[in-house]
Amino acid sequence: MSTENEGNENNAVPSVPSVPTAPPVPAAAPEGTPQGSPPAPETPPAAHTDAPTAQVPAYQEHAGHAHDEHPYAPPAPEQPPAASAGWPPPPPAIPSYADGGSPPAWGAPAHAEPEHPRKRRAGGLIAAVAVAALVAGGVGGALGYWAADSNDGSSSGSTTVSASNSPKDFKREAGTVAGVAAGALPSVVTIDAQSGDGEGGTGTGFVYDKEGHILTNNHVVASAADSGQLTATFSNGKKYDAEVVGRAQGYDVAVLKLKNAPDGLTPLALGDSDKVAVGDSTIAIGAPFGLSNTVTTGIISAKDRPVASGDGSSNNNSYMSALQTDASINPGNSGGPLLDAGGAVIGINSAIQSTSGSGAGQSQAGSIGLGFAIPVNQAKNVAEQLIKTGQPVYPVIGATVTMEEKTGGAVISDEGAGGTPAVTPDGPAAKAGLKAGDVITKFNDTAVESGPTLIGEIWTHKPGDKVTITYERDGRTATAELTLGERKGDS
């Protein structure tokens, strides 16, 4: 398991506009017009559907610009040239929604406008350019055509069909992916973290409250938390310096505060991750490989997925009982919101499973449809604590467990760190009668497969919560009731 970490190992890639293919040329006018017939009306440019922007699986290693290529089509002899269709810029990258429904079809017919060169802005830390070719295949939403009345073998004229709405007039309903993305994007920021030694990377965050707090992952900002520079850039291009309010390494949650935060910030609404169901639609927003304001969709693939993830630069791990999604998540999405179909945040995108290695010198992992998000209910509790005190508070059972996987449960160790007792004297586990060697198999109603699974489940609760532990000792199963203790700060 690897976090899609944006720290020292990641070369951030600047956001660049997608490059459309050359627009198709409408059909030419007919060869001739019957004598005496009025001239056929001039055919307006054909409207074309906007193809969705695809995420780029690979990028070029050197800075540069991709140039649009427009093949030359000479006009037919002795006929007016076919009108060249302007190619409108593509809409935001918003794929179709996963749960069906009746959203408006992608690629609303676009009003043709003359093409003008677009400025390309270099951004991020490393100069690299990723180019996405938009291919409009098949028949567009509106197609200019010539119709001839050939009953008597002669042509009678031409007719055009145009779209009733242009993108400016076309309304994206609130329940569609386009509507959700339009509402959420202004509250999502791309975070640039520069460490004191000049290294850094790119991640994502979102507006948590009107005071200018930004919620993100700890591993996004860790390299610049103590000595470095942090900036947050909104979708409108406005950039603000930021500072760390608090961070929790174990939860992989951090809270930033914008310096000179603007008025009128709109926090994203927080949903209820406990009510999420497998199959629910999801929308992820982030900056994969530096491509800011990228929107992807999917579903909730699983809940309560035990995940132990590392940032690749330390031996410290984070543990979560995660929401699993197949929405495309890549390095740079870390810290970004995972939204439900209504636009409410249900998780913070934090980690991906990958088939590639994550060691130094190896290529960085990409999405294979296995992404993991911290449930927002847990993230909210952590954020409130960080804003209030600047340090995290962890619930504990007062026992050290082994971290091996597939042990059939969480095994209480023979001894704790530094030779301390594995079961803290007079702690919650000791009071409940647990001993070294006991194998914890259930936490409340959730099966426990290993130590990381147990920790992830414990950390979805608060200190003071009462829980039921099921454990095995000498081949027999027993249960114990205990009240969770607390530990302040990262140790």
Side-chain angles (χ1 to χ4, degrees):
M1 183 64 56
S2 64
T3 55
E4 23 90 21
N5 177 43
E6 296 73 39
N8 296 338
E9 296 179 3
N10 182 27
N11 291 338
V13 183
S15 175
V16 295
S18 300
V19 181
T21 57
V25 179
E31 287 286 338
T33 305
Q35 187 171 4
S37 299
E42 182 178 349
T43 303
H48 302 281
T49 55
D50 294 329
T53 300
Q55 287 202 31
V56 183
Y59 59 85
Q60 300 173 0
E61 292 295 337
H62 302 285
H65 295 282
H67 299 279
D68 298 346
E69 295 183 2
H70 299 278
Y72 173 74
E78 299 182 1
Q79 297 181 24
S84 61
W87 190 258
I94 305 169
S96 61
Y97 210 69
D99 65 347
S102 302
W106 283 12
H111 178 70
E113 297 177 358
E115 182 173 359
H116 299 285
R118 291 178 290 179
K119 295 182 179 179
R120 303 183 184 275
R121 179 173 59 88
L125 303 179
I126 303 299
V129 175
V131 180
L134 302 186
V135 179
V139 179
L143 178 65
Y145 67 94
W146 167 71
D149 183 1
S150 58
N151 290 338
D152 59 356
S154 62
S155 299
S156 61
S158 65
T159 305
T160 59
V161 174
S162 61
S164 59
N165 292 320
S166 68
K168 294 180 180 179
D169 301 326
F170 194 86
K171 183 179 180 182
R172 271 77 176 181
E173 299 297 335
T176 64
V177 178
V180 169
L185 278 168
S187 299
V188 178
V189 298
T190 299
I191 297 173
D192 184 16
Q194 288 276 0
S195 65
D197 58 7
E199 295 184 354
T202 302
T204 308
F206 60 91
V207 177
Y208 182 73
D209 58 26
K210 293 183 178 180
E211 285 68 43
H213 289 108
I214 303 295
L215 193 55
T216 186
N217 281 141
N218 172 66
H219 76 261
V220 169
V221 303
S223 62
D226 298 325
S227 60
Q229 184 178 10
L230 291 165
T231 60
T233 304
F234 284 81
S235 60
N236 61 6
K238 293 184 178 180
K239 181 182 293 187
Y240 299 88
D241 290 332
E243 59 186 354
V244 176
V245 172
R247 55 195 186 97
Q249 182 273 323
Y251 292 120
D252 199 13
V253 172
V255 176
L256 307 181
K257 179 74 179 294
L258 298 178
K259 298 179 181 179
N260 301 317
D263 295 332
L265 288 175
T266 303
L268 289 182
L270 304 183
D272 187 348
S273 52
D274 290 340
K275 295 181 179 179
V276 171
V278 173
D280 282 351
S281 297
T282 58
I283 303 172
I285 302 180
F289 295 103
L291 301 174
S292 300
N293 310 316
T294 295
V295 179
T296 57
T297 64
I299 63 169
I300 293 292
S301 304
K303 294 180 60 178
D304 303 320
R305 185 70 77 192
V307 174
S309 60
D311 60 11
S313 60
S314 69
N315 293 324
N316 296 322
N317 286 332
S318 302
Y319 302 95
M320 68 184 94
S321 183
L323 298 175
Q324 180 182 327
T325 180
D326 65 348
S328 183
I329 297 174
N330 286 286
N333 278 104
S334 275
L338 184 69
L339 308 174
D340 63 15
V345 180
I346 54 176
I348 300 178
N349 300 317
S350 300
I352 59 174
Q353 179 72 49
S354 178
T355 56
S356 66
S358 59
Q362 293 176 315
S363 60
Q364 201 164 31
S367 174
I368 57 171
L370 295 173
F372 304 95
I374 302 168
V376 74
N377 289 7
Q378 176 182 345
K380 178 182 177 181
N381 292 336
V382 178
E384 292 295 336
Q385 190 67 41
L386 293 176
I387 293 172
K388 182 179 180 180
T389 68
Q391 64 177 343
V393 176
Y394 298 92
V396 297
I397 63 170
T400 302
V401 296
T402 62
M403 302 309 290
E404 290 86 358
E405 297 184 2
K406 299 180 180 179
T407 55
V411 181
I412 298 180
S413 305
D414 293 332
E415 65 178 16
T420 59
V423 179
T424 304
D426 206 31
K431 291 179 179 179
L434 295 174
K435 300 179 179 180
D438 289 347
V439 181
I440 299 174
T441 57
K442 289 183 71 176
F443 183 87
N444 287 335
D445 294 328
T446 302
V448 173
E449 301 173 351
S450 63
T453 306
L454 177 63
I455 295 174
E457 283 299 319
I458 292 173
W459 286 356
T460 62
H461 291 71
K462 297 179 180 179
D465 286 352
K466 294 182 178 181
V467 298
T468 300
I469 299 292
T470 302
Y471 64 96
E472 294 179 356
R473 179 188 298 168
D474 299 328
R476 290 186 290 183
T477 300
T479 60
E481 304 290 330
L482 61 81
T483 300
L484 297 175
E486 72 173 29
R487 186 194 85 208
K488 293 183 178 181
D490 285 309
S491 58

